[in-house]
Amino acid sequence: NKWRIVFPNNGRQQKDWQQASASYSGNRIQTTKYTWFTFLPQNLFEQFHRLGNLYFLFLVVLNWFPQVEVFHREITMLPLIVVLLASMIKDATEDYRKYRFDKTINFSKTKVYDK
């Protein structure tokens, strides 16, 4: 039975607060980065901002040309895929933990003290 305690300032500003609260959303806390639809594109966008991932992507693209091909195409793609998958799994688990924590905070009981 943990309670959040909120001390509002309901003095002179009650009328202003009622007008402002009509135009703003609630107190819901959301610290997650992704949704189900934005996870893959946004995560890939963030992953390819790292220099190491761009280097491996450059090697994969370069290896598709027969004149420059050193290894098999699949072998060159393997390090990039492993790094991207590991990073995606890490980001997904972190974001899910944030989602669960936000959910517990948002549904916790709250006591409001009026002056």
Side-chain angles (χ1 to χ4, degrees), residues 61-97:
V61 170
L62 194 63
N63 210 26
W64 280 90
F65 296 106
Q67 299 88 356
V68 188
E69 183 178 356
V70 177
F71 302 110
H72 294 288
R73 294 178 183 145
E74 297 81 15
I75 293 175
T76 309
M77 291 171 51
L78 191 62
L80 180 64
I81 291 172
V82 167
V83 168
L84 288 178
L85 281 176
S87 299
M88 280 184 180
I89 291 169
K90 177 192 69 81
D91 289 342
T93 55
E94 283 180 1
D95 209 52
Y96 182 67
R97 286 182 186 148

Side-chain angles (χ1 to χ4, degrees), residues 14-97:
Q14 180 68 21
K15 190 178 231 181
D16 295 335
W17 179 81
Q18 286 176 350
Q19 290 174 351
S21 65
S23 62
Y24 293 108
S25 62
N27 271 1
R28 200 170 134 256
I29 296 172
Q30 181 178 0
T31 58
T32 56
K33 271 199 233 181
Y34 308 108
T35 64
W36 286 103
F37 299 111
T38 63
F39 177 74
L40 188 63
Q42 190 174 358
N43 193 283
L44 285 176
F45 181 75
E46 290 175 5
Q47 293 301 324
F48 284 114
H49 272 87
R50 297 183 181 151
L51 191 59
N53 292 343
L54 285 176
Y55 171 74
F56 284 119
L57 180 66
F58 174 72
L59 289 179
V60 168
V61 170
L62 194 63
N63 210 26
W64 280 90
F65 296 106
Q67 299 88 356
V68 188
E69 183 178 356
V70 177
F71 302 110
H72 294 288
R73 294 178 183 145
E74 297 81 15
I75 293 175
T76 309
M77 291 171 51
L78 191 62
L80 180 64
I81 291 172
V82 167
V83 168
L84 288 178
L85 281 176
S87 299
M88 280 184 180
I89 291 169
K90 177 192 69 81
D91 289 342
T93 55
E94 283 180 1
D95 209 52
Y96 182 67
R97 286 182 186 148

